[in-house]
């Protein structure tokens, strides 16, 4: 598995939540999301790589994730370039079926990731997890198809549709995992908070995010 991640620092992560949260609080939220993504990945797969940006902040990442050792600096002008580069790295190091996730869906069920691996293992070329906002939360491939990432408007309502277009143009087989949500806007964060408070299974899937919600309960008093 590959986890795509920004190294959390104030002013660099979850910037669409600034105003509702301070930059420093956005940083601690991003830290909890990254920790939950690693916990989730470890529950499904033993071979985890964290593709991170910016590359000069590796020591901060090692401090946040002291038990991880496979770090890949993200390289490329566009997100698609960086995603393709991360896939290329793991394939060149002997991986086959590989699933990539981000860090913005902390309560994502483990079953969705296991389903993605199952599809790849039975011969599907590409598996995609669509996000509710038109983006993606997961992509898996049996081998690298860099063209999948070409001409895609990242972080837009068209992202998933444009990836699907590229997959079709390459005559590759495609399967989908269930639609899930990610956290970009204040309304998404409020939804996450409510899910974590009301759903014990969600708390198990995202313990660091639940701890963040508990520690920052006062931020939601007026919502």
């Amino acid at each position: 598995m590959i986890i795509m991640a920004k190294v959390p620092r104030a002013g660099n992560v979850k910037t669409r939540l600034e105003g509702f949260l301070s930059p420093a609080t956005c940083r601690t939220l991003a830290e909890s999301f990254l920790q939950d993504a690693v916990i989730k990945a470890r529950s499904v797969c033993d071979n985890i790589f964290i593709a991170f940006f910016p590359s000069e902040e590796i020591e901060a990442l090692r401090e946040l994730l002291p038990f991880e050792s496979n770090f890949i600096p993200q390289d490329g002008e566009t997100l698609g370039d960086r995603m393709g580069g991360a896939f290329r790295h793991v394939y060149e190091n002997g991986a086959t079926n590989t699933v990539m996730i981000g860090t913005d869906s902390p309560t994502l069920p483990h079953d969705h990731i296991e389903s993605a691996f199952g599809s790849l293992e039975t011969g599907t070329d590409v598996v995609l997890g669509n996000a509710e906002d038109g983006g993606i939360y997961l992509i898996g491939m049996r081998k690298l198809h860099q063209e999948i990432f070409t001409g895609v408007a990242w972080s837009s309502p068209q992202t998933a549709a444009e990836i699907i277009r590229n997959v079709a143009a390459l005559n590759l087989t495609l399967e989908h995992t269930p639609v899930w949500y990610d956290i970009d806007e204040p309304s998404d964060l409020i939804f996450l908070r409510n899910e974590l408070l009301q759903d014990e299974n969600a708390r198990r899937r995202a313990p660091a995010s639940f701890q963040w919600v508990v520690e920052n309960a006062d931020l939601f008093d007026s919502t």
Side-chain angles (χ1 to χ4, degrees), residues 98-123:
T98 301
V99 172
M100 173 184 285
I101 62 171
T103 63
D104 289 342
S105 299
T107 61
L108 177 70
H110 306 73
D111 292 353
H112 292 18
I113 301 173
E114 291 172 346
S115 173
F117 275 114
S119 295
L120 297 174
E121 288 164 2
T122 56

mmCIF file of all heavy atoms in Angstrom, residues 98-123:
data_model
loop_
_atom_site.group_PDB
_atom_site.id
_atom_site.type_symbol
_atom_site.label_atom_id
_atom_site.label_comp_id
_atom_site.label_asym_id
_atom_site.label_seq_id
_atom_site.Cartn_x
_atom_site.Cartn_y
_atom_site.Cartn_z
ATOM 1 N N THR A 98 -0.995 -3.070 -6.074
ATOM 2 C CA THR A 98 -0.743 -1.988 -5.122
ATOM 3 C C THR A 98 -1.958 -1.080 -5.043
ATOM 4 O O THR A 98 -2.538 -0.703 -6.063
ATOM 5 C CB THR A 98 0.493 -1.178 -5.539
ATOM 6 O OG1 THR A 98 1.630 -2.047 -5.596
ATOM 7 C CG2 THR A 98 0.772 -0.060 -4.547
ATOM 8 N N VAL A 99 -2.313 -0.709 -3.820
ATOM 9 C CA VAL A 99 -3.429 0.199 -3.558
ATOM 10 C C VAL A 99 -2.886 1.457 -2.900
ATOM 11 O O VAL A 99 -2.082 1.390 -1.968
ATOM 12 C CB VAL A 99 -4.477 -0.464 -2.647
ATOM 13 C CG1 VAL A 99 -5.542 0.548 -2.200
ATOM 14 C CG2 VAL A 99 -5.140 -1.632 -3.373
ATOM 15 N N MET A 100 -3.333 2.605 -3.393
ATOM 16 C CA MET A 100 -2.939 3.909 -2.862
ATOM 17 C C MET A 100 -4.153 4.588 -2.227
ATOM 18 O O MET A 100 -5.240 4.578 -2.803
ATOM 19 C CB MET A 100 -2.391 4.780 -3.993
ATOM 20 C CG MET A 100 -2.096 6.235 -3.600
ATOM 21 S SD MET A 100 -1.555 7.210 -5.041
ATOM 22 C CE MET A 100 0.126 6.611 -5.258
ATOM 23 N N ILE A 101 -3.942 5.160 -1.049
ATOM 24 C CA ILE A 101 -4.970 5.964 -0.397
ATOM 25 C C ILE A 101 -4.360 7.292 0.007
ATOM 26 O O ILE A 101 -3.144 7.452 0.071
ATOM 27 C CB ILE A 101 -5.580 5.266 0.837
ATOM 28 C CG1 ILE A 101 -4.503 5.016 1.916
ATOM 29 C CG2 ILE A 101 -6.281 3.978 0.444
ATOM 30 C CD1 ILE A 101 -5.074 4.530 3.247
ATOM 31 N N GLY A 102 -5.248 8.252 0.314
ATOM 32 C CA GLY A 102 -4.826 9.503 0.914
ATOM 33 C C GLY A 102 -5.056 9.453 2.413
ATOM 34 O O GLY A 102 -5.206 8.386 3.006
ATOM 35 N N THR A 103 -5.112 10.631 3.009
ATOM 36 C CA THR A 103 -5.274 10.696 4.464
ATOM 37 C C THR A 103 -6.560 11.396 4.882
ATOM 38 O O THR A 103 -6.780 11.583 6.075
ATOM 39 C CB THR A 103 -4.082 11.435 5.103
ATOM 40 O OG1 THR A 103 -4.053 12.799 4.622
ATOM 41 C CG2 THR A 103 -2.771 10.749 4.764
ATOM 42 N N ASP A 104 -7.406 11.768 3.928
ATOM 43 C CA ASP A 104 -8.554 12.626 4.238
ATOM 44 C C ASP A 104 -9.853 11.872 4.505
ATOM 45 O O ASP A 104 -10.914 12.488 4.596
ATOM 46 C CB ASP A 104 -8.787 13.625 3.102
ATOM 47 C CG ASP A 104 -7.706 14.685 3.050
ATOM 48 O OD1 ASP A 104 -6.989 14.852 4.054
ATOM 49 O OD2 ASP A 104 -7.575 15.348 1.996
ATOM 50 N N SER A 105 -9.777 10.539 4.625
ATOM 51 C CA SER A 105 -10.979 9.736 4.900
ATOM 52 C C SER A 105 -10.706 8.832 6.101
ATOM 53 O O SER A 105 -10.599 7.605 5.971
ATOM 54 C CB SER A 105 -11.359 8.902 3.673
ATOM 55 O OG SER A 105 -11.643 9.713 2.562
ATOM 56 N N PRO A 106 -10.588 9.413 7.294
ATOM 57 C CA PRO A 106 -10.114 8.617 8.441
ATOM 58 C C PRO A 106 -11.016 7.475 8.855
ATOM 59 O O PRO A 106 -10.535 6.483 9.403
ATOM 60 C CB PRO A 106 -9.982 9.659 9.560
ATOM 61 C CG PRO A 106 -10.839 10.805 9.133
ATOM 62 C CD PRO A 106 -10.770 10.829 7.638
ATOM 63 N N THR A 107 -12.327 7.575 8.614
ATOM 64 C CA THR A 107 -13.229 6.488 9.022
ATOM 65 C C THR A 107 -13.511 5.504 7.896
ATOM 66 O O THR A 107 -14.407 4.673 8.010
ATOM 67 C CB THR A 107 -14.558 7.047 9.553
ATOM 68 O OG1 THR A 107 -15.205 7.805 8.511
ATOM 69 C CG2 THR A 107 -14.342 7.935 10.777
ATOM 70 N N LEU A 108 -12.754 5.589 6.807
ATOM 71 C CA LEU A 108 -12.922 4.650 5.694
ATOM 72 C C LEU A 108 -12.875 3.210 6.200
ATOM 73 O O LEU A 108 -11.924 2.821 6.884
ATOM 74 C CB LEU A 108 -11.802 4.861 4.673
ATOM 75 C CG LEU A 108 -11.777 3.918 3.476
ATOM 76 C CD1 LEU A 108 -12.942 4.199 2.557
ATOM 77 C CD2 LEU A 108 -10.442 4.043 2.739
ATOM 78 N N PRO A 109 -13.879 2.396 5.890
ATOM 79 C CA PRO A 109 -13.859 0.998 6.358
ATOM 80 C C PRO A 109 -12.717 0.198 5.742
ATOM 81 O O PRO A 109 -12.392 0.344 4.570
ATOM 82 C CB PRO A 109 -15.216 0.459 5.892
ATOM 83 C CG PRO A 109 -16.093 1.665 5.754
ATOM 84 C CD PRO A 109 -15.168 2.745 5.265
ATOM 85 N N HIS A 110 -12.121 -0.658 6.558
ATOM 86 C CA HIS A 110 -11.063 -1.534 6.068
ATOM 87 C C HIS A 110 -11.550 -2.391 4.900
ATOM 88 O O HIS A 110 -10.780 -2.722 3.992
ATOM 89 C CB HIS A 110 -10.573 -2.457 7.187
ATOM 90 C CG HIS A 110 -10.152 -1.749 8.439
ATOM 91 N ND1 HIS A 110 -11.056 -1.179 9.317
ATOM 92 C CD2 HIS A 110 -8.926 -1.519 8.948
ATOM 93 C CE1 HIS A 110 -10.389 -0.632 10.322
ATOM 94 N NE2 HIS A 110 -9.096 -0.824 10.133
ATOM 95 N N ASP A 111 -12.832 -2.750 4.941
ATOM 96 C CA ASP A 111 -13.388 -3.620 3.901
ATOM 97 C C ASP A 111 -13.221 -3.025 2.509
ATOM 98 O O ASP A 111 -13.075 -3.770 1.530
ATOM 99 C CB ASP A 111 -14.876 -3.883 4.153
ATOM 100 C CG ASP A 111 -15.124 -4.734 5.383
ATOM 101 O OD1 ASP A 111 -14.140 -5.230 5.962
ATOM 102 O OD2 ASP A 111 -16.298 -4.893 5.762
ATOM 103 N N HIS A 112 -13.267 -1.702 2.408
ATOM 104 C CA HIS A 112 -13.145 -1.068 1.092
ATOM 105 C C HIS A 112 -11.752 -1.310 0.517
ATOM 106 O O HIS A 112 -11.601 -1.542 -0.692
ATOM 107 C CB HIS A 112 -13.418 0.432 1.197
ATOM 108 C CG HIS A 112 -14.837 0.783 1.525
ATOM 109 N ND1 HIS A 112 -15.723 -0.120 2.067
ATOM 110 C CD2 HIS A 112 -15.526 1.949 1.399
ATOM 111 C CE1 HIS A 112 -16.893 0.479 2.251
ATOM 112 N NE2 HIS A 112 -16.799 1.724 1.856
ATOM 113 N N ILE A 113 -10.732 -1.254 1.365
ATOM 114 C CA ILE A 113 -9.361 -1.508 0.908
ATOM 115 C C ILE A 113 -9.191 -2.983 0.569
ATOM 116 O O ILE A 113 -8.598 -3.334 -0.458
ATOM 117 C CB ILE A 113 -8.352 -1.071 1.979
ATOM 118 C CG1 ILE A 113 -8.517 0.424 2.288
ATOM 119 C CG2 ILE A 113 -6.920 -1.366 1.512
ATOM 120 C CD1 ILE A 113 -7.677 0.908 3.448
ATOM 121 N N GLU A 114 -9.717 -3.855 1.408
ATOM 122 C CA GLU A 114 -9.624 -5.290 1.138
ATOM 123 C C GLU A 114 -10.334 -5.641 -0.166
ATOM 124 O O GLU A 114 -9.859 -6.487 -0.935
ATOM 125 C CB GLU A 114 -10.220 -6.065 2.307
ATOM 126 C CG GLU A 114 -9.378 -5.965 3.580
ATOM 127 C CD GLU A 114 -10.062 -6.556 4.786
ATOM 128 O OE1 GLU A 114 -11.282 -6.808 4.701
ATOM 129 O OE2 GLU A 114 -9.386 -6.767 5.807
ATOM 130 N N SER A 115 -11.467 -4.991 -0.432
ATOM 131 C CA SER A 115 -12.186 -5.207 -1.682
ATOM 132 C C SER A 115 -11.340 -4.799 -2.881
ATOM 133 O O SER A 115 -11.325 -5.478 -3.921
ATOM 134 C CB SER A 115 -13.506 -4.423 -1.674
ATOM 135 O OG SER A 115 -14.143 -4.484 -2.930
ATOM 136 N N ALA A 116 -10.605 -3.684 -2.735
ATOM 137 C CA ALA A 116 -9.733 -3.233 -3.827
ATOM 138 C C ALA A 116 -8.653 -4.270 -4.124
ATOM 139 O O ALA A 116 -8.404 -4.617 -5.287
ATOM 140 C CB ALA A 116 -9.100 -1.894 -3.461
ATOM 141 N N PHE A 117 -8.012 -4.790 -3.083
ATOM 142 C CA PHE A 117 -7.008 -5.830 -3.296
ATOM 143 C C PHE A 117 -7.633 -7.075 -3.922
ATOM 144 O O PHE A 117 -7.042 -7.705 -4.801
ATOM 145 C CB PHE A 117 -6.332 -6.190 -1.975
ATOM 146 C CG PHE A 117 -5.187 -5.293 -1.610
ATOM 147 C CD1 PHE A 117 -5.263 -4.464 -0.506
ATOM 148 C CD2 PHE A 117 -4.026 -5.284 -2.369
ATOM 149 C CE1 PHE A 117 -4.203 -3.641 -0.156
ATOM 150 C CE2 PHE A 117 -2.953 -4.456 -2.032
ATOM 151 C CZ PHE A 117 -3.046 -3.636 -0.928
ATOM 152 N N GLY A 118 -8.833 -7.423 -3.478
ATOM 153 C CA GLY A 118 -9.498 -8.588 -4.046
ATOM 154 C C GLY A 118 -9.746 -8.440 -5.536
ATOM 155 O O GLY A 118 -9.555 -9.391 -6.308
ATOM 156 N N SER A 119 -10.150 -7.248 -5.957
ATOM 157 C CA SER A 119 -10.375 -7.009 -7.381
ATOM 158 C C SER A 119 -9.089 -7.156 -8.185
ATOM 159 O O SER A 119 -9.067 -7.774 -9.255
ATOM 160 C CB SER A 119 -10.959 -5.604 -7.588
ATOM 161 O OG SER A 119 -12.245 -5.495 -7.015
ATOM 162 N N LEU A 120 -8.000 -6.595 -7.664
ATOM 163 C CA LEU A 120 -6.723 -6.698 -8.368
ATOM 164 C C LEU A 120 -6.246 -8.140 -8.443
ATOM 165 O O LEU A 120 -5.727 -8.588 -9.475
ATOM 166 C CB LEU A 120 -5.669 -5.828 -7.673
ATOM 167 C CG LEU A 120 -5.931 -4.323 -7.659
ATOM 168 C CD1 LEU A 120 -4.878 -3.608 -6.814
ATOM 169 C CD2 LEU A 120 -5.963 -3.742 -9.071
ATOM 170 N N GLU A 121 -6.429 -8.872 -7.376
ATOM 171 C CA GLU A 121 -5.952 -10.257 -7.327
ATOM 172 C C GLU A 121 -6.725 -11.171 -8.267
ATOM 173 O O GLU A 121 -6.223 -12.235 -8.660
ATOM 174 C CB GLU A 121 -6.024 -10.765 -5.893
ATOM 175 C CG GLU A 121 -4.957 -10.131 -4.994
ATOM 176 C CD GLU A 121 -5.230 -10.303 -3.523
ATOM 177 O OE1 GLU A 121 -6.245 -10.967 -3.182
ATOM 178 O OE2 GLU A 121 -4.467 -9.763 -2.704
ATOM 179 N N THR A 122 -7.941 -10.770 -8.647
ATOM 180 C CA THR A 122 -8.722 -11.580 -9.580
ATOM 181 C C THR A 122 -8.609 -11.077 -11.018
ATOM 182 O O THR A 122 -9.359 -11.517 -11.887
ATOM 183 C CB THR A 122 -10.196 -11.621 -9.158
ATOM 184 O OG1 THR A 122 -10.714 -10.287 -9.037
ATOM 185 C CG2 THR A 122 -10.346 -12.344 -7.827
ATOM 186 N N GLY A 123 -7.663 -10.147 -11.273
ATOM 187 C CA GLY A 123 -7.358 -9.777 -12.642
ATOM 188 C C GLY A 123 -7.816 -8.422 -13.112
ATOM 189 O O GLY A 123 -7.529 -8.040 -14.254
#
